[in-house]
Amino acid sequence: MAEDLIALARKAMASSRAGQDPDYPRFHLAPPVGRLNDPNGLLVDGDTYHAFYQFGPFHPRRKLVFWGHASSHDLLTWEQHDPAIIPDSPYDRSGAYSGSALVLAGDEAAHAPDHARFQLFYTGNLKDPTTDARISTQALASSRDLARFTKWPGNPIIDRPNGYTAHFRDPQVWRDPDAPGTFRMVVGAQRTDRTGTALLYRSADLVSWRFEGELSFPDAHGALDSLGYMWECPGIVRVPDEATGTEHDVLIFCPQGIRPDEEGYENIFPCVYTVGRLVGDELRECSGEIHEIDRGFEFYAPQVFARHPARPGPVLLMGWAGNAEEDDQPSADSAGWVHTMTVPRVLTLRDGRLVQRPATPLPDDAAELELAGAPVTGETRISELRGHRSWHLELEAEALETTGGSGRWGLRLGDEPCHVDIDLTLSASGTHLVVDRTTSRYARHGAKRRVTASPSIRPRLEVLHDRSITEIVVGDGDIVFTLRSFVPPDSSGATVRTDGILRLRSARARPLD
């Protein structure tokens, strides 16, 4: 008799103690039980945001991946639902892996599979129980109401083409803005020579897909031809330039096998982007220069929310605040859950670089802190945050008086002996962000990181701290840094630290816990 996987998942969720864990975040999406990783099928339906995600309800006892499902009206409070895609078919019984979603208009849905408004594309994973050999295919599930999900009876819709290994996964689908009535798909892949690439497909009905070939970069002078040994979670999104309004195509992908630099690519696998103009299977006007999206200790596999074609909105990105093979976090043993998502971010471009701002900014009535306008020296506790373990804080420096023409200021999260330090050094030679979690409860190897940026960056820190996860935004969305912070439950709030005399132009906070 076949297992009732949905019943087993519901049982695991119902018996979970995750929500009572003092480390469980208040406004970041986390799993109801077990393990969470890549965001999947992010979409907006009216005034509701839906996030599907890689979900292991039986982790670590059994590594079987479902599509979890949660929704929110404000991007701060998330309601968990039953898993959406269950790995119970011949082509996905080893896991329903990552993918994306489309939100169809009425006329599109009338001709779509199951006449459904919501189409979910994912990778079906099948492993030989003896040899562990993998078979990866791309599959389709549909929903009319985001409560019931039906797999396409003709699955899988795409098999692996010749010339590529079984590392063939993570489909992202979008409308072709240059060819109305058609859809495109990009899939991460590995060539048989063990180099990474992205494959392009085209369809008019979302079921029959024509292979177009590899995504190429004619103006990159070969810089991306053999970058890493596998490209995971590729996505192509049009992002506007803040100054001109001109839209550019941004390729977001995760090239595995990049060597770490002194500054950059220090995580087990990086997540990067490059900018150009997509024409057919070519990303033109792309120099081949890549940049990391997030410089933090934990960040991977981000995805953009899909929208109804008649209801455009800002480009919203959400990422996994985690890394592969790094499940050894305090919450795994104490409460049976691990990992979380970032808050959604609004994406724009400025001078060819991504700008990222939290999609839930401080409200107009956020509390003004007494620090603003007053000189700060040494360490000053932010009394308004005392007793709060989840909060959103904004600090902007007006002046920093020191000797030597430079100055350092920042925050300490928690208290001695367990804390995380965030330091921002401003000088004529550059802006330097240093994050040190060495003394926190989650201090993996290399728990101190430095990021160097332009000296012209606005002297501003925005910090979203949520119990065990912290996101740092420097300047006006110029640098984003995500980390699992894990300061003790009885050590709350933050302290402003400076080695000179700091005057703050603005200081506002929103306690959320």
Side-chain angles (χ1 to χ4, degrees):
M1 182 177 178
E3 287 184 297
D4 187 343
L5 292 176
I6 187 66
L8 291 173
R10 286 172 177 159
K11 182 179 179 181
M13 292 166 67
S15 62
S16 174
R17 60 187 189 277
Q20 288 72 52
D21 184 4
D23 288 322
Y24 196 78
R26 292 293 300 274
F27 62 93
H28 286 76
L29 175 58
V33 68
R35 185 178 189 269
L36 166 152
N37 58 295
D38 304 5
N40 299 149
L42 305 181
L43 63 89
V44 185
D45 178 32
D47 64 352
T48 305
Y49 302 87
H50 290 263
F52 301 89
Y53 56 89
Q54 295 281 272
F55 177 38
F58 316 129
H59 177 85
R61 176 176 56 84
R62 185 178 180 187
K63 296 182 179 179
L64 187 62
V65 178
F66 296 58
W67 269 36
H69 178 203
S71 64
S72 175
H73 295 292
D74 59 5
L75 296 176
L76 290 173
T77 305
W78 292 92
E79 178 185 359
Q80 295 285 350
H81 306 287
D82 281 346
I85 300 179
I86 313 302
D88 58 0
S89 301
Y91 49 85
D92 66 11
R93 65 172 177 253
S94 301
Y97 279 19
S98 293
S100 62
L102 274 176
V103 182
L104 301 182
D107 56 337
E108 294 175 323
H111 300 92
D114 199 35
H115 308 296
R117 289 195 300 131
F118 307 102
Q119 304 290 327
L120 310 179
F121 301 84
Y122 71 101
T123 296
N125 189 46
L126 181 63
K127 286 189 176 182
D128 186 291
T130 303
T131 66
D132 206 37
R134 181 199 308 265
I135 298 175
S136 296
T137 56
Q138 313 315 319
L140 169 66
S142 303
S143 179
R144 300 182 185 186
D145 56 8
L146 295 176
R148 294 170 294 275
F149 301 85
T150 303
K151 294 180 182 178
W152 178 246
N155 276 340
I157 56 173
I158 300 178
D159 293 315
R160 173 171 54 93
N162 293 329
Y164 304 92
T165 73
H167 292 287
F168 168 63
R169 55 183 174 270
D170 311 332
Q172 187 231 6
V173 179
W174 72 101
R175 292 174 185 80
D176 187 344
D178 303 317
T182 65
F183 302 88
R184 307 199 72 186
M185 177 191 291
V186 61
V187 183
Q190 181 188 64
R191 304 181 185 97
T192 53
D193 67 358
R194 301 301 192 268
T195 57
T197 188
L199 308 182
L200 289 169
Y201 291 81
R202 185 181 295 274
S203 176
D205 61 7
L206 300 175
V207 172
S208 302
W209 291 87
R210 176 171 58 86
F211 180 43
E212 294 186 299
E214 295 184 8
L215 177 64
S216 61
F217 307 87
D219 304 316
H221 307 291
L224 303 177
D225 292 351
S226 57
L227 180 70
Y229 61 76
M230 168 65 190
W231 287 10
E232 286 198 317
C233 303
I236 298 174
V237 59
R238 288 202 166 168
V239 179
D241 182 275
E242 290 187 345
T244 66
T246 303
E247 291 187 321
H248 301 269
D249 293 312
V250 179
L251 169 66
I252 297 171
F253 63 114
C254 301
Q256 297 181 323
I258 302 296
R259 290 184 177 180
D261 287 341
E262 183 177 350
E263 284 191 24
Y265 315 118
E266 293 117 306
N267 293 346
I268 181 173
F269 301 129
C271 180
V272 304
Y273 71 92
T274 191
V275 181
R277 181 171 61 91
L278 185 64
V279 180
D281 62 358
E282 297 179 341
L283 191 64
R284 299 178 183 173
E285 302 171 15
C286 170
S287 67
E289 185 178 15
I290 61 173
H291 307 280
E292 281 190 288
I293 293 179
D294 188 297
R295 290 287 289 111
F297 297 109
E298 283 85 31
F299 186 83
Y300 199 67
Q303 187 175 115
V304 168
F305 282 78
R307 294 180 180 272
H308 188 285
R311 301 184 184 96
V315 181
L316 292 182
L317 176 139
M318 176 187 277
W320 172 34
N323 291 309
E325 302 176 18
E326 295 182 4
D327 299 336
D328 57 340
Q329 296 177 4
S331 62
D333 292 330
S334 64
W337 69 277
V338 64
H339 300 306
T340 176
M341 296 297 181
T342 68
V343 297
R345 305 167 181 177
V346 177
L347 299 187
T348 59
L349 287 166
R350 185 194 308 130
D351 299 325
R353 300 289 292 268
L354 275 184
V355 176
Q356 304 173 70
R357 302 183 179 95
T360 55
L362 282 168
D364 293 338
D365 60 352
E368 295 286 342
L369 304 184
E370 294 181 0
L371 296 170
V376 176
T377 59
E379 297 189 358
T380 301
R381 189 77 170 172
I382 304 178
S383 60
E384 291 89 344
L385 296 179
R386 190 179 303 275
H388 292 282
R389 298 195 61 233
S390 296
W391 38 263
H392 187 172
L393 174 68
E394 178 185 282
L395 300 173
E396 184 167 358
E398 179 178 1
L400 184 61
E401 302 167 18
T402 63
T403 58
S406 66
R408 190 179 74 172
W409 67 287
L411 292 176
R412 169 166 288 175
L413 312 182
D415 298 305
E416 299 284 1
C418 183
H419 62 270
V420 173
D421 282 334
I422 303 166
D423 288 311
L424 193 63
T425 301
L426 311 173
S427 70
S429 63
T431 297
H432 305 282
L433 172 70
V434 176
V435 179
D436 187 349
R437 66 175 181 189
T438 304
T439 64
S440 76
R441 292 161 53 222
Y442 187 60
R444 292 185 61 87
H445 174 70
K448 184 175 182 179
R449 188 166 294 178
R450 177 186 175 93
V451 184
T452 299
S454 165
S456 64
I457 286 181
R458 184 175 164 188
R460 178 177 177 274
L461 276 175
E462 186 171 3
V463 180
L464 293 84
H465 178 69
D466 193 6
R467 295 186 167 187
S468 61
I469 176 172
T470 304
E471 296 182 71
I472 306 162
V473 182
V474 180
D476 191 15
D478 300 270
I479 301 171
V480 184
F481 192 109
T482 301
L483 70 148
R484 299 307 305 275
S485 41
F486 283 104
V487 294
D490 58 353
S491 176
S492 58
T495 300
V496 178
R497 308 169 66 243
T498 177
D499 63 358
I501 301 174
L502 173 67
R503 296 183 186 276
L504 294 173
R505 176 184 295 114
S506 63
R508 301 191 304 157
R510 170 173 50 171
L512 293 163
D513 186 56

